[in-house]
Amino acid sequence: MEILDDLYKWFDDNRDTIINNHFNECVLLKDKSVIGYYPNTKAALSDAQKKGFLMGEFLIQDCIPDEEEVMLYYNFNQAVSFGN
């Protein structure tokens, strides 16, 4: 989980640059790098799988401003949502 925490912190610290010109898209992040932008989470996850990324070593984020973000934590087949 530490990898994801660090990756999210990097995303949040660089959010404005990362989401610039990509509002309402999804971004795939790994190793503190932008892998690509996608029209939705499903497309981003599909590309991560094609690239052989393992769960827990990449992050998919919506390209939205901080004040619009809702956190989702997935644990196996369960999802818990925390709103701002």
Side-chain angles (χ1 to χ4, degrees):
M1 190 76 155
E2 186 176 331
I3 292 171
L4 292 179
D5 289 341
D6 290 344
L7 194 51
Y8 179 79
K9 182 177 180 344
W10 176 80
F11 166 76
D12 202 36
D13 289 346
N14 297 283
R15 181 189 299 263
D16 292 340
T17 302
I18 293 170
I19 68 172
N20 189 35
N21 297 319
H22 294 281
F23 293 116
N24 296 318
E25 294 180 337
C26 292
V27 62
L28 174 60
L29 308 165
K30 184 177 185 300
D31 299 326
K32 295 184 180 177
S33 298
V34 172
I35 303 303
Y37 294 93
Y38 307 86
N40 55 51
T41 303
K42 185 177 178 179
L45 181 57
S46 177
D47 195 42
Q49 291 171 328
K50 287 178 188 172
K51 291 179 181 335
F53 296 168
L54 300 175
M55 295 303 278
E57 67 180 21
F58 66 91
L59 185 65
I60 298 171
Q61 284 295 131
D62 290 327
C63 293
I64 56 175
D66 184 38
E67 60 273 2
E68 294 179 25
E69 185 173 40
V70 174
M71 298 284 258
L72 294 175
Y73 293 93
Y74 292 96
N75 184 3
F76 300 102
N77 292 328
Q78 299 174 352
V80 178
S81 176
F82 299 94
N84 289 7

